[in-house]
């Protein structure tokens, strides 16, 4: 009898282990582990707080516990990969001219911080390798091939940096390569088949069809659109095509909230703090 009783007690205990999570949240809400999580991507680093695409901005993103840093990669005259958004240095440094007309040594003499605030005076344009070596394993890397048409061979250069460090393995799921140039995304995917790739989609893709989404899904894992044309329907269609969706660029809390409601998988933002407060968000 004692044995039967102890078996019954054990059974009840075991059953409760499996049923407690279903009742864990109040008011019939799903348990915490079932709630929506949104990947927090710091756009050009935490660029609302520090000069974009500098180590200061990437460091700030890490401090703010972003899941990924987004990096715009271009190439110098002497073939070095660097992080900068515009194809000229005019807006974000104290110099003028096209990125591709500077050698690495020349471009690193420019001040990439003062335009944002005197606090960042002397901040340099970082190399892609420096960023990768500093942040690999610490935060995800969302690598944008920026204006790759200007830099023949940039896909191979990026691939080499990752392969030299054994970062092209199938289980390396915190690296994503994306571009507005979809030919470049395809070239990169061929070089790095185990790294997830994304197609960036500006407003000209606002009426993207299911057929086009399926074409993208043949080589891309992410469809990353301008936030202005994101709604629940688009999110569902992207998911149906088998891709995830990270929307850009959030600079207001209200816009982050709208994207959360639409059900996006990730939000690319200058202000990582806008992605913290959703229900269930870690
Ligand atoms: O990652 C998406 C976003 O960076 C694309 O736009 O112009 O900021 O590079 P842009
Ligand atoms: Ca970018």
């Amino acid at each position: 009898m004692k044995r039967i009783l102890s078996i019954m007690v054990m059974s009840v205990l075991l059953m409760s282990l499996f049923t407690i999570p279903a009742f864990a949240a109040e008011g019939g809400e799903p348990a915490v582990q079932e709630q929506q999580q949104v990947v927090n991507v710091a756009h050009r680093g935490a660029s609302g707080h520090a000069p974009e695409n500098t180590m200061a901005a990437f460091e700030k993103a890490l401090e703010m516990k972003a899941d990924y840093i987004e990096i715009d990669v271009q190439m110098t005259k002497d073939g070095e990969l660097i992080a900068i958004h515009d194809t000229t240095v005019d807006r974000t440094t104290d110099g003028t001219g096209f990125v591709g007309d500077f050698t690495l040594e020349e471009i690193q003499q420019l001040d990439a911080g003062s335009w944002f605030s005197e606090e960042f005076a002397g901040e340099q344009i970082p190399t892609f390798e420096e960023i990768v070596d500093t942040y690999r394993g610490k935060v995800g890397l969302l690598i944008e091939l920026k204006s790759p048409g200007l830099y023949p061979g940039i896909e191979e250069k990026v691939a080499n940096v990752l392969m030299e460090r054994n970062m092209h393995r199938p289980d390396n799921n915190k690296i994503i390569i994306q571009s507005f140039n979809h030919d470049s995304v395809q070239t990169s995917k061929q070089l790095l088949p185990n790294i997830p790739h994304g197609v960036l989609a500006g407003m000209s893709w606002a009426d993207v069809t299911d057929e086009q989404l399926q074409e993208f899904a043949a080589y891309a894992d992410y469809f990353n659109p301008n936030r202005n044309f994101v709604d629940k329907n688009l999110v569902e269609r992207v998911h149906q095509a088998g891709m995830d969706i990270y929307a850009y660029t959030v600079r207001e809390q209200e816009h982050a909230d709208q994207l959360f409601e639409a059900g996006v998988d990730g939000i690319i933002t200058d202000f990582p703090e806008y992605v913290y407060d959703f229900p269930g968000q870690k």
Side-chain angles (χ1 to χ4, degrees), residues 264-276:
V264 297
D265 302 291
I267 294 178
I268 302 171
T269 177
D270 292 358
F271 298 92
E273 65 269 38
Y274 294 165
V275 184
Y276 288 149

Side-chain angles (χ1 to χ4, degrees), residues 164-177:
E164 280 162 10
R165 291 160 177 79
N166 274 322
M167 293 168 73
H168 59 303
R169 304 278 182 212
D171 56 351
N172 216 336
N173 59 9
K174 290 268 289 189
I175 300 170
I176 304 167
I177 298 175

Side-chain angles (χ1 to χ4, degrees), residues 53-56 58 69 71 81-83 104 108 123-136 141 161 165:
N53 283 308
T54 65
M55 295 308 268
F58 299 132
I69 52 173
I71 311 152
L81 299 175
I82 50 161
L104 178 64
Q108 287 202 313
E123 198 71 35
Q124 276 184 330
I125 292 176
T127 65
F128 177 59
E129 291 191 57
E130 181 184 1
I131 298 163
V132 169
D133 287 335
T134 307
Y135 295 110
R136 58 190 283 205
L141 307 175
V161 169
R165 291 160 177 79

Side-chain angles (χ1 to χ4, degrees), residues 140-263:
L141 307 175
L142 176 58
I143 300 161
E144 180 181 345
L145 304 171
K146 178 59 83 186
S147 305
L150 294 176
Y151 311 108
I154 193 169
E155 299 86 0
E156 284 82 358
K157 293 237 176 206
V158 168
N160 286 340
V161 169
L162 300 176
M163 288 191 295
E164 280 162 10
R165 291 160 177 79
N166 274 322
M167 293 168 73
H168 59 303
R169 304 278 182 212
D171 56 351
N172 216 336
N173 59 9
K174 290 268 289 189
I175 300 170
I176 304 167
I177 298 175
Q178 64 173 3
S179 186
F180 285 106
N181 182 325
H182 302 162
D183 290 338
S184 180
V185 177
Q186 291 182 65
T187 303
S188 179
K189 183 70 183 179
Q190 278 164 10
L191 294 165
L192 298 164
N194 293 316
I195 288 192
H197 281 67
V199 291
L200 279 165
M203 288 308 287
S204 63
W205 288 99
D207 296 320
V208 66
T209 65
D210 289 342
E211 290 69 32
Q212 287 168 328
L213 288 173
Q214 257 144 32
E215 282 167 25
F216 288 142
Y219 57 89
D221 310 270
Y222 295 84
F223 178 78
N224 295 345
N226 185 307
R227 64 167 185 83
N228 285 301
F229 70 93
V230 175
D231 58 18
K232 272 191 176 146
N233 179 262
L234 178 70
V235 172
E236 276 166 25
R237 293 196 299 120
V238 171
H239 285 164
Q240 265 161 21
M243 294 180 287
D244 277 0
I245 174 168
Y246 290 7
Y248 71 90
T249 300
V250 162
R251 298 186 173 101
E252 289 176 37
Q253 182 66 62
E254 187 191 350
H255 297 153
D257 296 346
Q258 286 163 1
L259 291 172
F260 177 79
E261 285 302 317

Side-chain angles (χ1 to χ4, degrees), residues 3-16:
R3 195 147 162 244
I4 291 170
L5 260 177
S6 70
I7 287 170
M8 281 172 70
V9 169
M10 283 301 289
S11 307
V12 169
L13 274 174
L14 270 172
M15 276 172 66
S16 67

